[in-house]
Every structure is written in C-alpha cells, then in structure tokens.
Amino acid sequence: MVDRAENTDWLLERPEIDPALALAIARVSFGITGELTELGSQQDRNFLVTPADGPRILLKVNHPSVSGTTISLQRAVSDRLRDRGIATPRILSTEHGARSVAIEGPWPAPAIACAFEVVEGQTLVEAGAIDGALAEELGALASRVVGAFSDLDHEGADRALQWDLTRAGEVVASLVSDLPGKRRRACMDATKDAMDHLAALGDSLPRQIIHGDLTSDNVMRDGDGTHWVIDLGDAIRSWRVAELAVLAADVLGRTGDLAMVSRVVRGFVAQTALTEDELDAVWPLVVLRGAVLAVSGWSQLRIDPGNAYARERIEHEWEVFRRAVEYDRHEVTAQLRLAAGRPHRRGLTYAPVLAAAAEVVDLGVCSALLDRGRWTAPSAETELARDALARASVAATRFGETRLTRVSTGVGSPAPTRARCVELWTRPGMTVHAPYAAAIRSGDGCVELTDCGVILRIEGVDPRGGLGESVSHGEVIGRVAVAGSGLGRLRVSRRMGSAETGPLFALPDGEYEIEGAADPSVLVGVPAVPDPSRQLLRERRRRDRAMGGAAERYYADPPQIERGWGALLIDSQGRAYLDLVNNVTAIGHSHPRLAEAVSRQLHLLNTNSRFLYRAYADFTERLLEHSPDPALDTVIPVNSGSEAIDLAIKLVQVATGRRDVIAVREAYHGWTMAADSVSTSAFDNPSALASRPDWVHLVDAPNSYRGPHRGPASGPDYARQVAALCDRLADAGRAPAAFICEPVLGNAGGVIPPRGYLDGAYPAVRAHGGLAIADEVQVGYGRLGSAFWGSTMQGVVPDVIAVAKAAGNAFPLGAVITRREIVDALRREGMFFSSAAGAPAGAVAGATVLDVIRDEGLQQNAACVGAHLAAGLDRLAAIHPLLGTVHGCGLYQGIELVRDHETLEPATTETAWICERLLGHGVIVQPTSERQNVLKVKPPLTLTIDEADMFLAALDATLSELRDATG
C-alpha cells in the first residue's frame, strides 16, 4: 500500500495546527496539561508538552497524507526496536487504549496524531562535535537497527517516500528547479552518475525495512550516556545499505572528514557483513542523499517560507552534497573497503611486506610483558622486540595501541602514546615487498606506494636501486635498514588521498585515526587494537549497569584506570595521573614485592582462619611490633574497615556488658550495621543524625578551625563535652560502653584534634568503666609521619584499634588490635573466624605491607614529603586567598577552601570545580568534609618530592585559572 500522495508529489507543506488544538489533544486524549512548545519539522508538526509535574510528552501531528497503515508501520518498528533492546521513545496510549488520534481539518483526509515519551537528554547535534569514537558508535547503532528489522515485514513498508534513496532520481528530477541556478547542473549530473552506477549493480543490493533517517538529529543521548533512536516517520523498505549511507552522509556533512566516515563504516560492519556490491554502493548513495536533501530543502522553503527548521538547515544540507561530490567515487570506495576490513580493490590479495610470519608484541597498558615497572625503561620497546625476535623472524606492534612504554610520568605533560602506525621489527637486510601494484616514490629511507587514493608509507627501508615509477604486486622494493639498536624496524602508515602525513603517535585525547594517519592494518596483515576511546564509553556504561546509582565513583566522566605504579595511575588512553586520594595503597600501586608474595601464597594454600598455618601468626607478630602499648597484644583479622569497626563495637559491648556508645559528629566509620550506626556524616548519609539508634550519643567534632570551640587551646573544652555526656548517661543508668573517635578526623580532611582532647576524653570514659576505640582505618600505618598510629601522635593509648585500608594495600584485609581479656569476653557470645581476611594470602599481604613500610622507610618518607608539601601549601596560601587552612600532617592533609577568612564560608562550588580541573592537569584529588570544601590529600606513602611539586604546580595553575575566570 502507498500513501495518498502521488509518487511524484514530494511537496508537502506542514499542516496548520492551532496550538490550542494541540493542547486540547494532549489533555483530552493523553491526560497531559501543560506548557506547549513547538519543535522543528520538515513536513509534520511537533509539540513538546511540559506539565507542572510529571514527565513531558512529544505530540506529533503527522502530515494528512500519512495513512493509518504508515502509522501502523511506525508502531511496528518502534515495538521491534524496544523488543531488541534498542532504546526508542515509547508510543503512548490514549486513555481509551488507542495509540493514535485522528484530527479533522481542512485537508482531504484526517491528520493522525501520536504521543511519545520524552527522552531527557540532547540530540547528538545539540551535544556537540562528532569524534571518531562516536562515529563508530553510530555505525554500530545503525547496524543494530538493521539487524532488528532484518526479519520484520509490514504492509505499509512499500510506500512512496521522498527520502527513499531508491527513488532519489525521480525526487531530484521533480524538485531540482527550486535550487539556485548555479547548483542545478551539479546536482543533476551527480545524481545521474550515481543512479547509473547503482543501476549497474542490478538487483543485487539486499532490501529490507530500515529507519531511513538515522542521523545525529535523530539520535539522542540521555544522562546515562544511552543512545536513543527517535523519529521513526521515515521507516520504509529500501536497500539495506541505505541505512549506512544516510548516516555516513550526515557525518560527512558535520565533519567534512573521510576518516570519520570510515569510522562509521567500521562500526557498521563489525556486526553486519556488507556484500561487495553494497560496499560499491555506499558512496553513490551518499551523493544521492546529499542531492535529495539539497533539492528538498529549497523546495520546502518555496511552499512553506515560514518553516524556520528548513531554513536553518538548508546550507548544511547543501554542504553534505558538495562534500560528497568532491571525492572521486573509486578512491573513496577504496578507503571504505579498508575500513570494512577488505582489500581496497575487489579480488585483491595483498602480498606480505616481509616474507615471514610476525609475532605481535603487546605494548598496551595491561601488557604482562611490562609488569614490575619494565615499562619505565627507555629501551623497553627495543628489548621486547629483541625478545620476540628470538622466537620469530618478525615482531609486530599494532595500530591503535595505547603504548604504556610511551606514557609520561610527568603528569602535567602527557606524551603521544597512541600508535597510528604498525611497526615491523626484524633483522637488517631482509627484503621488503610491495603488497600491491602501485605508483612508487622513494627517498630519505622510506617508500610510498599509491593506488586508487590509498597511500602506504614504509619508513626504515633502503630502497632498491633502479626502481621505476611503479611496482607490481609482491615486487621487491628494498631491504630493511639498520636502526640504532642494531635491529631493523619498518614503520608503516597510511594516508587517504591528498592528506598530508599526520603525527604517527597521538596524545591520549587524540583521534584514533585521521586522514593523514589512517589504519594500515589490513594492508600489512597485523590486527589493529580497538579504539580505547570507544572502549572507555563502553566500560562506563557497563559499570553503571553493574553497580547501579548508589555506588560512589569519582568524576562524572571518569577515566578508565587500568594500571598503577607507585603514586601513579594510568588510564586506557595512555594518560598518567598523580593519585592523591588512595590511602588504601599505602606502599604504592602494583608493588612487585607484594604481588609476588601473594601470588606465591596462592600457589600454595588459601583457606579460612580456622585452620593452622604459619602466615597469620607472621602477620600478627609484625603488626604487634607496632603496638602502642604491650597490653594491646591480640589481633583479630577482618575483611574491611567497616567490619573492623563493627567488631570493635561488638567487643566493647560484650566486654563491658553495656550498649551505649559515644561518637563524634561529622564522622564516617563504615557501612555495616554497627559502623553505620556510629557514622554521623550528613554528606555520606543525609539522614545520619536523624537515623541514629538510641544507643548512639553524639558530641561535637573537635575542629579547632571552625567548630564551636576554636584555637589550639580548645581541646579541654571539647573533652568536657565528652565527660559531661558520660556523667549524664551514668546518671540515667546507661554508662557508656565506649567512646569512638578517629585520632585524626579523616572525614573532615585530616583535622587534628587540639591537644587536651583525647587525653581528656579517654580518662572521662574510663572513669565510668567504658573503653576507648581508635578508628585508625584512614590515618594509621605511618601515614602521619611522626608516628605509626594517630593515637600515638596524640599521646594516648586506646583499648581497641581498628585498622584496614593500608593493612592489605587494597587486598581485603583489616584487623582489630586489643587486649586479650577483651577478646576472650567474646567467647560468651560465640567464636570468631574469618573466611577471607585470616586466609593465608591475606595474611601474607599484610605481613609484606609492613615489611615494605619498614624496609623502604615509608613512614619517614611520609614525614619528609609531607613537610615539603605543607611548606608549599603555605606558600600558595599567601597568594591564593581561597586557601583557608591546611589540616593534618605527613601524607594525610586537607586543604580547606573558604570564600571569607572571617565567616569561613565554605567554597564548595569552587572545590568541586578545582577537583575536576585538576584532573585535566593529571592530578586526582577529591573533596571531603560535611561542606565538601576540603581537598583531601592522602596519597600512597611512596609519593616523592618531585611528585609533590607536580601537585603544587597544578594546584597553583588551577587556582590561578579560577581567579582569572571569576575576577
């Protein structure tokens, strides 16, 4: 069935729709009342209805020529997309269950209105520029759409539609007279040439239902990064490859970049194999799409001069056509064939450049060949190639690979890490062959082979004497030259057409491939590495699906961290970051000694703590060497800091026979039931204060900078609060079981309680028979520099110490240290064991961490580098008034930012901006405290003076940027 319009009548003026009528339809049929905003459309009317409360809807009034059968087709394709997991707005039903409404008007037939749910997001046009990763994503999306429709049939699919490229010739012929005079001939000639080429392909092109207008205008991105397919009004049975061509034309028009169009093809063919004829048809269809857009836009303005949507797009649509016809069809098809993983000419098989099989050398961020810091050696690439050549005649590195060997450890100056070439290492003197017949140009240790716009450049070759202007397939063109290492290395790259040679290594945020440095992998037979930028987008979505919205993560658009070394983190793009938040990895990331010790133990035994084995006693003996008092002589293993706090509370309640615990406001202790009960941070839990159980009693945080008592002499004032609360509880017959506090307030950003606080609070609690719990999860293990424990630095000895994080260097290990009689009291309620923390591997991890801290002098390093850092921050505070004060010591410091040094108004917005901007400088810092105005600085204890200076320079630059931006 076809629509009521004649096949040659492509001139469809938008129907006149009174806004009041549109509002009435929304209210009566769909139960929505709200503000009406008209959106653009070529031939229909689209209205956004925004109610005072609840979700918005899109009301679409189709042109009266659109039949009920066509509306049924739109419903069918919508349902199919949703059924196949492709996001598309749901078609809403009326209050009577119908999915459309007929509107009578001054037309030969009723106009049909439909309502759709609104995607809260942006079209990709609104979202900004298209990059290569997005172009490939769109190609993959088009392929999924084609796949979803591959077996769909509908009686309305065979219709006369202006945008059906099988009808492009008649559409252009009907409308071309509306083009400005100088453009008509170009459009007619190009259309005829394209149609003639397609006619020569006969009926070989597969046909099926397609979306028909899958462009960046008709793909939306929501807040989670999901792409939604919208506007199904052009669905039709047509050539399958037309779906790809429409998208390719759109990307060409928006970027003018053939490399971007190639990325669209790469994404499409990864899931949908195109026939040889379909590949030949792509570019003629791109030309036809441009021609139809051009003539349709001008014709629409003639019959509907008030159509602002058509007027805004008219030059862009001509640009699609202009750019498409600038390219030679044969040359661009050769490039698209390579993007599809095919030889650039039909029937061609490439001769090997080097007549020997190659072993691929993995230089990627996760390569096992580069473990134990081997990647930092300047000669790493050469040595790995040499190792491979001991096993094979040729060693190859891959296009697109993020080379860990090239990552800059100067985090503020990222280096080009992403390969836009293939390298072939071998012995010098090996013959080099032309992979295909081509024109040849040689000189300066390289040759270039050109055929049909494909230019292959091979560097590191001594050209053969007597080379003419062309070479045949497989002909010897030279020998591998000697490189400085004594090995031979060919560097193979590719250009598209007339493009200048581009950089063969891209910066971490650079494009995967460009016209001047395109992927040569098909030509040399070495597989490419997928674009890490696209992998990054995929991993963000996977994490969100796996962990849900309640899982905390750093940054709205986080880098994908895949390797660490010392105080550095390295992302999948090849950017190194200085890690200033990871107090979990005390001895640094990927410490070889820890990795080898745990790996060895896993080869021996790993079981639970009820068995007898040596490793756990080794760990506890080493830990008790650091006990602040000989009376603290017993260690219980746990899996985490939360479990350590939970067990500590259980121990004191059992040992004292009491329930009540005194805790400090603004503190965070963990997520288990008991740990959360004593956690009072409103930032971590907005209902923290209101949801405390009746056995938890609060005192003010001893913050001498902004608390109720201020100054260095305020410690006794805060301690008297604790004593007074103990007295009140005892008078009520509820004497406290314990007082829990961090010796340095980690959640507040390293605030050190003033002298006289803990040494006043502990005796007050003990005077009533209670016990003192020190939460050392964040600040213990030598981090403070001057002492191994925060409580020791404060001159007190707790009854129970809870520790984790640093204990296992991110291995799931923590511990509770206490007196034997307190542990023995637990027997009254049952025995304790641990399935994981007390296991041999965890114990070995714990012992190794302590050994490394001792052997590498990491506590002393914390004191030295921490003092250097504090001095640098003092210098910055003198020139940047946003710095209010610096809390903490050693390598647990907090930089509090305030707008006013008198009122101490928190600079919360500025702090968030600074953290995001510092990421761009290669520094990972996050906000903390209830007010989120403190930069927490708690890096691995391996932080060096040079790395501290990198942070200071980045912070200075960022604060200066903020000052300049805000005046």
Side-chain angles (χ1 to χ4, degrees):
M1 178 176 179
V2 299
D3 284 346
R4 301 181 187 94
E6 293 297 320
N7 290 2
T8 56
D9 185 7
W10 313 116
L11 302 178
L12 301 177
E13 185 179 357
R14 294 174 302 163
E16 288 293 333
I17 299 294
D18 189 329
L21 174 61
L23 280 173
I25 295 169
R27 183 183 70 254
V28 174
S29 299
F30 300 100
I32 301 292
T33 301
E35 181 181 344
L36 191 75
T37 305
E38 183 164 7
L39 307 177
S41 177
Q42 191 93 340
Q43 297 170 343
D44 307 308
R45 302 305 277 241
N46 294 320
F47 300 95
L48 182 66
V49 185
T50 304
D53 295 304
R56 301 183 295 171
I57 70 166
L58 175 70
L59 182 69
K60 177 173 183 175
V61 181
N62 292 276
H63 192 275
S65 65
V66 177
S67 68
T69 304
T70 299
I71 298 299
S72 173
L73 169 64
Q74 293 175 22
R75 290 197 294 265
V77 298
S78 174
D79 293 343
R80 173 57 66 91
L81 289 175
R82 292 170 63 82
D83 181 62
R84 297 296 170 86
I86 299 172
T88 192
R90 184 167 49 93
I91 301 176
L92 304 178
S93 297
T94 69
E95 295 184 341
H96 300 292
R99 298 173 78 183
S100 62
V101 178
I103 304 172
E104 298 293 339
W107 317 294
I112 300 175
C114 303
F116 301 84
E117 67 175 335
V118 171
V119 180
E120 298 300 338
Q122 296 177 302
T123 68
L124 295 184
V125 171
E126 296 167 333
I130 294 175
D131 62 12
L134 178 56
E136 191 170 328
E137 286 274 307
L138 289 174
L141 178 61
S143 179
R144 291 180 63 206
V145 170
V146 162
F149 295 156
S150 62
D151 60 349
L152 179 66
D153 195 15
H154 193 280
E155 61 175 332
D158 298 303
R159 59 189 179 121
L161 185 68
Q162 180 173 354
W163 311 110
D164 178 9
L165 294 183
T166 67
R167 298 176 179 269
E170 58 186 287
V171 173
V172 172
S174 298
L175 305 181
V176 72
S177 60
D178 287 315
L179 277 179
K182 293 182 179 179
R183 297 181 176 182
R184 290 176 200 162
R185 176 52 55 190
C187 190
M188 291 172 63
D189 290 348
T191 298
K192 182 180 184 305
D193 181 68
M195 291 300 295
D196 288 347
H197 179 75
L198 292 170
L201 297 176
D203 297 326
S204 66
L205 300 180
R207 295 172 64 96
Q208 66 164 78
I209 292 175
I210 64 173
H211 179 282
D213 194 20
L214 194 60
T215 67
S216 48
D217 280 300
N218 289 329
V219 178
M220 294 193 72
R221 180 187 297 150
D222 66 17
D224 296 326
T226 299
H227 287 150
W228 292 66
V229 176
I230 63 172
D231 192 356
L232 308 180
D234 293 331
I236 193 169
R237 192 187 320 277
S238 186
W239 292 315
R240 176 179 67 172
V241 71
E243 194 85 282
L244 170 62
V246 166
L247 177 59
D250 178 66
V251 170
L252 177 69
R254 298 198 181 280
T255 67
D257 190 329
L258 189 56
M260 295 294 179
V261 178
S262 295
R263 296 294 299 277
V264 172
V265 174
R266 181 193 288 261
F268 189 90
V269 301
Q271 300 179 54
T272 301
L274 294 174
T275 68
E276 294 286 315
D277 284 348
E278 284 181 301
L279 282 169
D280 280 354
V282 172
W283 206 251
L285 288 170
V286 169
V287 171
L288 291 178
R289 172 67 173 183
V292 169
L293 288 173
V295 298
S296 298
W298 281 95
S299 297
Q300 195 67 34
L301 281 180
R302 177 171 61 81
I303 65 170
D304 189 5
N307 191 330
Y309 176 81
R311 187 172 299 280
E312 289 169 3
R313 300 171 57 83
I314 198 163
E315 284 305 318
H316 163 72
E317 291 170 344
W318 175 256
E319 194 67 9
V320 174
F321 172 77
R322 186 191 65 77
R323 287 174 170 171
V325 297
E326 280 184 346
Y327 288 98
D328 177 88
R329 171 169 54 83
H330 300 287
E331 292 191 358
V332 74
T333 298
Q335 308 297 346
L336 299 185
R337 288 182 61 85
L338 289 171
R342 312 276 182 90
H344 68 278
R345 289 184 182 273
R346 280 200 191 200
L348 177 62
T349 300
Y350 293 122
V353 174
L354 297 174
E359 176 177 317
V360 173
V361 178
D362 185 357
L363 299 178
V365 172
C366 296
S367 172
L369 300 175
L370 297 170
D371 289 349
R372 298 172 180 83
R374 188 177 185 183
W375 62 273
T376 61
S379 61
E381 291 184 10
T382 301
E383 294 309 312
L384 287 174
R386 196 184 303 280
D387 291 347
L389 290 175
R391 300 181 295 271
S393 298
V394 178
T397 64
R398 296 170 290 184
F399 180 93
E401 187 162 58
T402 299
R403 293 196 186 179
L404 181 62
T405 48
R406 292 175 181 250
V407 170
S408 170
T409 57
V411 297
S413 303
T417 55
R418 299 170 63 180
R420 290 185 182 142
C421 60
V422 171
E423 290 180 328
L424 302 174
W425 296 74
T426 188
R427 67 181 188 278
M430 194 173 190
T431 56
V432 181
H433 301 261
Y436 54 88
I440 188 168
R441 185 171 66 86
S442 63
D444 298 327
C446 77
V447 296
E448 287 190 346
L449 304 169
T450 302
D451 178 53
C452 203
V454 175
I455 304 172
L456 189 70
R457 180 181 176 88
I458 307 175
E459 301 175 30
V461 59
D462 288 331
R464 176 174 61 84
L467 282 173
E469 294 182 353
S470 63
V471 292
S472 61
H473 177 275
E475 183 177 343
V476 174
I477 56 176
R479 294 184 179 276
V480 177
V482 181
S485 62
L487 301 177
R489 182 186 66 182
L490 301 182
R491 182 169 283 174
V492 185
S493 59
R494 172 183 144 227
R495 301 200 309 278
M496 296 181 176
S498 59
E500 295 293 326
T501 300
L504 298 189
F505 287 89
L507 288 167
D509 59 354
E511 278 293 343
Y512 177 74
E513 66 176 334
I514 57 177
E515 291 183 350
D519 184 4
S521 301
V522 175
L523 294 145
V524 294
V526 177
V529 173
D531 183 357
S533 297
R534 191 169 175 220
Q535 298 291 106
L536 170 63
L537 297 174
R538 183 179 296 120
E539 290 307 316
R540 287 173 180 167
R541 291 194 293 266
R542 288 182 66 209
R543 177 190 169 103
D544 288 344
R545 286 195 299 268
M547 301 188 72
E552 185 178 2
R553 72 179 186 191
Y554 294 145
Y555 305 109
D557 298 311
Q560 181 185 338
I561 304 299
E562 294 293 352
R563 186 181 281 270
W565 182 250
L568 298 177
L569 293 171
I570 300 163
D571 73 6
S572 57
Q573 311 288 99
R575 176 83 190 261
Y577 300 88
L578 187 60
D579 178 7
L580 292 182
V581 297
N582 233 316
N583 57 337
V584 177
T585 46
I587 63 172
H589 298 283
S590 307
H591 199 292
R593 189 168 166 185
L594 176 63
E596 289 161 9
V598 173
S599 175
R600 173 61 184 148
Q601 185 59 51
L602 289 173
H603 282 289
L604 294 175
L605 172 71
N606 207 31
T607 186
N608 70 70
S609 64
R610 287 176 290 194
F611 289 92
L612 175 64
Y613 43 81
R614 184 181 63 193
Y616 187 67
D618 288 344
F619 166 56
T620 58
E621 287 176 1
R622 284 175 174 78
L623 183 57
L624 289 175
E625 289 173 4
H626 297 279
S627 174
D629 188 279
L632 299 177
D633 60 357
T634 305
V635 178
I636 304 179
V638 292
N639 300 322
S640 67
S642 293
E643 190 179 12
I645 296 298
D646 208 289
L647 179 59
I649 291 172
K650 179 75 169 178
L651 286 171
V652 297
Q653 288 177 331
V654 171
T656 62
R658 303 169 182 175
R659 295 178 64 244
D660 294 81
V661 175
I662 298 173
V664 175
R665 287 187 174 88
E666 302 186 14
Y668 172 78
H669 296 288
W671 268 109
T672 58
M673 188 68 73
D676 182 59
S677 295
V678 295
S679 293
T680 54
S681 168
F683 177 77
D684 291 290
N685 176 4
S687 303
L689 296 178
S691 62
R692 294 310 89 208
D694 64 359
W695 53 269
V696 176
H697 310 274
L698 305 181
V699 293
D700 288 326
N703 187 331
S704 60
Y705 179 68
R706 65 162 60 247
H709 308 290
R710 300 186 181 181
S714 60
D717 294 323
Y718 286 108
R720 280 190 284 273
Q721 280 193 13
V722 179
L725 180 54
C726 289
D727 292 341
R728 291 196 302 274
L729 289 171
D731 291 344
R734 302 178 62 177
F739 165 66
I740 183 169
C741 181
E742 292 179 284
V744 173
L745 309 182
N747 198 64
V751 172
I752 300 175
R755 285 292 176 188
Y757 178 61
L758 288 182
D759 54 1
Y762 279 20
V765 175
R766 287 168 175 156
H768 291 279
L771 301 173
I773 301 173
D775 180 353
E776 299 267 8
V777 170
Q778 294 212 67
V779 300
Y781 263 60
R783 174 162 295 281
L784 301 172
S786 59
F788 194 83
W789 303 111
S791 50
T792 303
M793 188 182 76
Q794 291 280 36
V796 295
V797 177
D799 300 293
V800 182
I801 296 174
V803 66
K805 292 189 185 293
N809 211 62
F811 204 87
L813 175 68
V816 174
I817 308 170
T818 188
R819 300 194 299 273
R820 184 165 300 278
E821 69 269 18
I822 294 175
V823 174
D824 288 345
L826 189 60
R827 290 191 176 194
R828 295 197 293 268
E829 296 201 5
M831 303 295 289
F832 178 87
F833 79 98
S834 175
S835 297
V844 165
T848 304
V849 167
L850 290 166
D851 288 348
V852 170
I853 290 174
R854 178 198 62 210
D855 296 346
E856 296 185 8
L858 295 185
Q859 180 178 334
Q860 294 76 16
N861 187 68
C864 175
V865 178
H868 179 83
L869 187 60
L873 292 170
D874 284 344
R875 291 192 297 272
L876 291 184
I879 57 176
H880 296 292
L882 198 65
L883 272 66
T885 191
V886 178
H887 304 293
C889 62
L891 290 180
Y892 203 115
Q893 298 189 35
I895 306 162
E896 182 150 2
L897 305 179
V898 296
R899 294 171 182 158
D900 187 289
H901 283 246
E902 295 298 322
T903 65
L904 303 185
E905 179 186 359
T908 303
T909 302
E910 295 89 337
T911 303
W913 185 89
I914 287 168
C915 290
E916 288 289 339
R917 187 67 192 94
L918 280 171
L919 185 68
H921 286 287
V923 177
I924 295 177
V925 175
Q926 286 291 297
T928 190
S929 89
E930 297 297 272
R931 293 150 291 278
Q932 292 292 285
N933 70 315
V934 179
L935 301 174
K936 54 185 172 185
V937 179
K938 46 177 189 169
L941 302 183
T942 56
L943 190 78
T944 65
I945 294 288
D946 287 345
E947 289 168 338
D949 285 340
M950 288 183 206
F951 166 58
L952 291 169
L955 181 59
D956 184 20
T958 301
L959 290 168
S960 297
E961 290 175 35
L962 180 61
R963 180 190 60 215
D964 294 344
T966 59

